[in-house]
Amino acid sequence: MFALVDCNNFYASCERIFNPTLNGKPIVVLSNNDGCVIARSNEAKPFVPMGAVAFKYKVAFLQNNINVFSSNYALYGDMSNRVMNTLREYTPDIEIYSIDEAFLQFTGFENYDLNAYGLTIRQRVKKVVGMPVSIGIAPTKALSKVANKIAKKFTDRTNGVYVIDTEEKRIKALKWTKIEDVWGIGRQLSKRLQSIKVMTAYDFTQLADEYVKSKLSIVELRLKHELEGKQRLSLDEVKSKKTIATTRSFENTITDIDNLKERVSTFAVSCAEKLRKQKSHCNALMLFIHTNGFNKDQPQYSRSIVVKLPYATNSSIILSQFALKGLEAIYKKGFHFKKAGVIVMELTPENVKQLDLFLDEDPKHQILMQAIDTINNNLGKKKLKLASQDLGRTWKMRQEKLSKRYTTNWNELLEVD
């Protein structure tokens, strides 16, 4: 059996845990630079759509007494980690699906009362972390998603936990689930299915296998089998990223290449740090720059370049050097640049490297990078930088509604009178 554990209104709940006066009140959380709405509490949903541009809804926020918060990723990430660590107490088989969701697999739990076990997990997470969760339990991952929706929708009756453990429950759940709400069915596919009178998840399971395989794809056939209670999906192992990117919009436009070089060098260093953290090398990088497409009064320019590296590396020095060479190749005078980014590609494990008789990285770089990472980790990020970076400059998002980092910053711990 599989369980999907989903944190209820995760971002809003993180804020409420440390500020109980927000309980029952509408909350929205904004994206980077306070751009648009990325999370809403149930109380805010009638007044603000998902993705709403923040400045256009300032009046709506005020009129409906909506509490607005900037994204507090330090807090949200730490709270997510606490939830996942608590879940590991109940099964070693766990797949972290997103910041607020995880699949659990219960192998050898045949004689357990899984509804009672789910209630125990839910109560434990609430007690230890303070986070309300909904839990759906079923024979497959796709069905556990359906069960989770039922647990969340009918909390008063389910107490936040619902188990699909009979054929009768499975059919009833699928008939209740609209086709557009099925995990893995996107907007365009749901329209195609609705055009052939497939309106619910149950209707989808009534299609012939050959029809689904020929008219849709093997992916949809696998999903159909999952909804029928036949396991086709297992827990995914944590995998290293295939590309790593650092991209930023500038506070003000940049025209001269020297300022642009400083930003590009900093982005390349950030990518190198991420590579070392996941113990990977890269064999190529892509650099892009572009002007502000919304400013129609200024000339527009957008270019990117892929730079093939002579050897696999995760050295901040090497990546910065080649990123700057790429910038020199695509930079043009006379334009007001608003955004740039560095993306490292063709990643390989750090311990698997193709050697070259005539060209390879200076072995001192590895020792130097380890020393830099150790110092920055112990004394604070960005204490040591390359000469090509501005020592006094750090990139900072606009976060005018930022709550405290209660769990990750000693100076912002919760105070109790």
Side-chain angles (χ1 to χ4, degrees):
M1 297 286 277
F2 291 86
L4 177 68
V5 182
D6 184 13
C7 300
N8 300 341
N9 295 313
F10 179 66
Y11 287 178
S13 293
C14 287
E15 301 292 349
R16 285 171 169 163
I17 288 170
F18 297 96
N19 186 359
T21 62
L22 294 171
N23 289 334
K25 296 180 180 178
I27 296 173
V28 298
V29 178
L30 306 180
S31 63
N32 288 345
N33 290 314
D34 293 346
C36 60
V37 174
I38 59 170
R40 306 165 295 165
S41 67
N42 290 335
E43 297 83 358
K45 289 179 180 179
F47 309 109
V48 182
M50 184 65 82
V53 179
F55 77 87
K56 292 183 178 180
Y57 276 80
K58 282 186 176 181
V59 175
F61 294 156
L62 292 172
Q63 289 177 341
N64 298 288
N65 297 315
I66 296 176
N67 297 272
V68 182
F69 291 92
S70 302
S71 296
N72 191 339
Y73 293 120
L75 175 64
Y76 304 155
D78 184 66
M79 295 301 288
S80 173
N81 189 50
R82 292 176 185 224
V83 170
M84 302 308 167
N85 285 337
T86 304
L87 295 179
R88 288 188 176 93
E89 297 175 8
Y90 294 90
T91 176
D93 301 320
I94 179 172
E95 174 195 336
I96 300 175
Y97 186 65
S98 66
I99 192 172
D100 62 344
E101 289 180 285
F103 285 105
L104 310 182
Q105 186 169 8
F106 298 129
T107 303
F109 285 67
E110 288 77 14
N111 296 322
Y112 274 64
D113 181 342
L114 289 179
N115 187 77
Y117 199 61
L119 289 171
T120 300
I121 295 172
R122 187 172 189 264
Q123 292 164 3
R124 177 67 174 169
V125 173
K126 180 66 176 177
K127 182 178 180 180
V128 173
V129 187
M131 181 66 62
V133 300
S134 297
I135 303 177
I137 302 174
T140 69
K141 290 173 74 174
L143 281 175
S144 71
K145 273 278 191 177
V146 174
N148 184 275
K149 287 182 181 293
I150 295 172
K152 186 174 291 188
K153 180 71 174 179
F154 305 104
T155 305
D156 292 340
R157 279 184 270 171
T158 65
N159 290 318
V161 177
Y162 188 73
V163 182
I164 297 177
D165 52 3
T166 66
E167 187 67 4
E168 181 183 359
K169 284 185 176 181
R170 183 186 72 84
I171 293 173
K172 185 177 180 180
L174 295 184
K175 287 183 176 180
W176 173 80
T177 305
K178 296 178 181 178
I179 190 62
E180 61 267 28
D181 294 333
V182 175
W183 181 46
I185 301 290
R187 184 181 301 176
Q188 295 303 318
L189 180 54
S190 66
K191 289 181 179 179
R192 285 179 59 192
L193 292 170
Q194 287 166 354
S195 69
I196 59 172
K197 308 302 181 184
V198 174
M199 311 305 291
T200 67
Y202 180 75
D203 295 336
F204 181 62
T205 62
Q206 298 309 294
L207 297 174
D209 282 2
E210 285 304 317
Y211 178 88
V212 174
K213 185 176 180 180
S214 60
K215 298 296 183 181
L216 301 177
S217 74
I218 192 67
V219 175
E220 280 71 40
L221 179 60
R222 191 182 301 129
L223 175 59
K224 175 179 179 289
H225 288 167
E226 281 266 316
L227 294 173
E228 291 171 342
K230 306 168 186 174
Q231 184 188 338
R232 295 293 183 268
L233 301 173
S234 57
L235 296 185
D236 291 336
E237 297 180 357
V238 177
K239 298 178 181 178
S240 297
K241 296 178 180 178
K242 296 181 179 179
T243 62
I244 291 175
T246 301
T247 67
R248 297 285 187 269
S249 293
F250 310 133
E251 294 178 8
N252 302 303
T253 57
I254 296 176
T255 55
D256 65 290
I257 192 170
D258 289 334
N259 274 334
L260 209 52
K261 280 184 174 180
E262 192 280 331
R263 292 290 80 194
V264 167
S265 177
T266 297
F267 299 163
V269 169
S270 175
C271 287
E273 291 170 349
K274 295 174 185 177
L275 281 170
R276 295 195 293 273
K277 188 173 182 179
Q278 76 165 37
K279 300 187 183 303
S280 296
H281 282 142
C282 71
N283 291 271
L285 66 83
M286 185 177 79
L287 167 73
F288 71 83
I289 53 175
H290 64 70
T291 53
N292 188 352
F294 295 101
N295 194 338
K296 304 300 182 182
D297 297 332
Q298 294 179 344
Q300 301 297 313
Y301 179 81
S302 177
R303 288 291 183 278
S304 65
I305 186 172
V306 175
V307 180
K308 185 70 176 177
L309 303 177
Y311 42 77
T313 183
N314 58 20
S315 165
S316 298
I317 298 171
I318 301 302
L319 290 180
S320 177
Q321 288 176 349
F322 280 94
L324 293 178
K325 288 182 179 179
L327 176 61
E328 291 172 351
I330 63 176
Y331 171 79
K332 276 192 176 183
K333 289 184 178 180
F335 292 95
H336 294 75
F337 294 100
K338 183 60 177 175
K339 187 173 185 178
V342 174
I343 304 170
V344 291
M345 306 179 297
E346 298 181 25
L347 306 192
T348 55
E350 190 178 52
N351 59 351
V352 179
K353 186 176 180 180
Q354 180 66 47
L355 300 178
D356 192 301
L357 287 174
F358 307 105
L359 192 62
D360 201 1
E361 182 177 274
D362 188 334
K364 293 181 180 178
H365 280 213
Q366 184 177 0
I367 301 172
L368 178 60
M369 293 303 114
Q370 290 175 351
I372 290 175
D373 290 341
T374 299
I375 292 172
N376 284 338
N377 288 335
N378 291 337
L379 300 182
K381 295 188 71 175
K382 316 309 177 190
K383 292 296 182 183
L384 285 181
K385 296 185 177 183
L386 299 185
S388 55
Q389 298 177 261
D390 187 337
L391 297 179
R393 182 177 184 178
T394 56
W395 180 80
K396 183 172 173 55
M397 291 188 293
R398 185 197 311 143
Q399 295 176 307
E400 297 175 354
K401 304 287 186 178
L402 186 65
S403 56
K404 291 184 178 180
R405 295 161 292 179
Y406 298 103
T407 63
T408 59
N409 190 305
W410 284 105
N411 298 320
E412 298 179 12
L413 292 177
L414 186 66
E415 296 180 3
V416 180
D417 296 329

